[in-house]
Amino acid sequence: MQSKLLSIVAFASCCLGTALAEKQDILIIRGTSTHGKDCHRNDQAGLLIKDKLEKSKYADQFTVKTTLNYPEDLSLVENAELIIISSDGGAGHALANKEDPTKHTKHLDGVLKKNKTGLIVIHWATDAPSAGMGQLHPENSAMMMEWIGAVYYWVDKAKDPKSSWTWKFPILDLKVNQSHPISSGLPETFQLQDEYYFNFFTRAGGRNPGSDRVTFLHSAKAPSHSSDMDNQENWREQAVYWSFARENGGRSVAMTSAHFYHTWANPHFFKSVANSVFWTLNLEVPKEGVDIATPTLEELLSYGGTEIFKNARHFK
């Protein structure tokens, strides 16, 4: 009897150890919040994601850590199965380093290539670290293109037709790619008011990465550049949220939405993000989507220094 009991205890201990070993490490790298209290709440958005994961029914599957800007403890990056970046771009990027512009990007690049680490890049963080807005850093931009399939580059205050550009605050009818696991539980279309970026640069030297380069998840008809705003014949389907399969098999997701803080209260956007966490970690996305409650406005405003855009539309 004692031998049988010891065997049961050993088996239980083994199972517990296996369960603990399967817990996945998520690192959220937050940049400083900018642009006023209703948008670019990079810091608060990162904390919100952490809180929602840790309070969800999936909490026992993850260990969620977060840092303001790139961590000094590089093991946090090296041990992560998923890295989420919520920050501004250019000199304000969470990966920027004034003394050595490629210090953090090269380190992250090595980790992504070695470990197949999942990656989620939010809004302006799709702009590679550089000395300042509109100042292209070729090496960092090339790495960004390898990470997410494209890079945002704002040239001559976006007056140049070759520049990336920003469409401020339209309410777009977003088409959802329902064949992708990240779209599980989402409708065929939904409306979202946000600030969107278009005319991204791609590694092949093209613009606006097509569905042959990245996988469109949320897309809308839009001009390639602001100069075509009044010429709808030149508008075409472009992604504002996409996935990208990296060359080594790692999975990445990027989005140009989430400029507004109120976007996090849109249930279809938030479910997309929750599903993206599972997909980039190579976890099966449930048929109805990952079951984490959409943040309420009260939850959003519980983080200090935040407001909801006074003309906010389509966030619930």
Side-chain angles (χ1 to χ4, degrees):
M1 177 64 74
Q2 186 177 7
S3 174
K4 186 175 182 180
L5 181 60
L6 289 174
S7 297
I8 293 172
V9 170
F11 177 76
S13 298
C14 178
C15 290
L16 178 60
T18 301
L20 290 173
E22 290 176 351
K23 214 168 185 181
Q24 305 222 49
D25 286 342
I26 297 174
L27 174 64
I28 302 172
I29 301 176
R30 309 175 338 266
T32 303
S33 293
T34 60
H35 285 51
K37 295 182 179 181
D38 58 11
C39 57
H40 284 239
R41 297 290 87 196
N42 305 311
D43 188 3
Q44 291 90 342
L47 294 174
L48 171 72
I49 297 169
K50 182 178 187 293
D51 288 346
K52 295 299 286 187
L53 287 171
E54 291 183 330
K55 293 174 182 176
S56 75
K57 68 181 185 181
Y58 310 104
D60 61 349
Q61 297 184 41
F62 311 119
T63 298
V64 187
K65 299 174 183 177
T66 185
T67 63
L68 189 62
N69 296 317
Y70 208 73
E72 292 184 10
D73 180 358
L74 298 182
S75 68
L76 293 175
V77 176
E78 293 159 3
N79 294 331
E81 273 93 14
L82 168 61
I83 295 170
I84 302 173
I85 304 175
S86 172
S87 82
D88 282 0
H93 205 292
L95 305 186
N97 183 281
K98 290 183 179 180
E99 288 73 30
D100 180 356
T102 63
K103 178 180 180 180
H104 300 322
T105 49
K106 282 183 175 178
H107 179 254
L108 178 57
D109 187 62
V111 170
L112 293 176
K113 287 176 177 174
K114 178 182 178 182
N115 299 340
K116 299 183 181 180
T117 309
L119 179 67
I120 297 176
V121 181
I122 300 170
H123 194 53
W124 198 8
T126 56
D127 175 26
S130 68
M133 186 179 293
Q135 299 182 43
L136 179 70
H137 191 287
E139 196 169 0
N140 284 342
S141 291
M143 282 186 273
M144 182 69 75
M145 285 186 272
E146 291 186 354
W147 300 346
I148 63 172
V151 65
Y152 177 84
Y153 178 36
W154 196 75
V155 182
D156 191 24
K157 297 184 178 179
K159 294 177 183 178
D160 187 334
K162 296 179 181 179
S163 171
S164 301
W165 70 287
T166 301
W167 190 356
K168 292 183 180 293
F169 319 152
I171 297 171
L172 296 185
D173 293 306
L174 298 181
K175 180 181 176 182
V176 176
N177 177 1
Q178 294 199 303
S179 67
H180 197 284
I182 288 175
S183 301
S184 299
L186 270 66
E188 292 182 0
T189 63
F190 69 95
Q191 289 189 311
L192 182 66
Q193 178 193 35
D194 219 318
E195 176 187 276
Y196 299 98
Y197 302 152
F198 295 109
N199 214 23
F200 272 58
F201 284 44
T202 68
R203 188 169 52 182
R207 303 288 185 271
N208 289 326
S211 56
D212 59 334
R213 176 65 184 151
V214 302
T215 300
F216 289 16
L217 299 176
H218 303 166
S219 60
K221 284 215 166 180
S224 293
H225 192 262
S226 58
S227 58
D228 279 336
M229 186 65 78
D230 296 326
N231 184 8
Q232 294 199 20
E233 290 184 359
N234 289 342
W235 292 26
R236 62 192 182 90
E237 202 73 21
Q238 299 183 51
V240 300
Y241 196 121
W242 66 88
S243 66
F244 180 66
R246 304 199 307 272
E247 288 187 356
N248 74 332
R251 293 178 169 187
S252 298
V253 167
M255 66 200 76
T256 73
S257 39
H259 163 86
F260 280 123
Y261 191 50
H262 71 248
T263 294
W264 294 96
N266 181 288
H268 307 309
F269 171 81
F270 187 76
K271 185 175 285 290
S272 298
V273 174
N275 290 348
S276 295
V277 169
F278 270 52
W279 184 79
T280 51
L281 284 169
N282 279 286
L283 297 175
E284 182 178 356
V285 180
K287 183 179 180 181
E288 297 304 318
V290 174
D291 184 18
I292 301 178
T294 304
T296 63
L297 294 184
E298 290 74 21
E299 281 183 283
L300 293 184
L301 295 172
S302 70
Y303 297 86
T306 58
E307 291 178 359
I308 301 301
F309 180 50
K310 63 181 180 180
N311 294 320
R313 300 289 184 273
H314 298 288
F315 57 85
K316 61 180 179 179

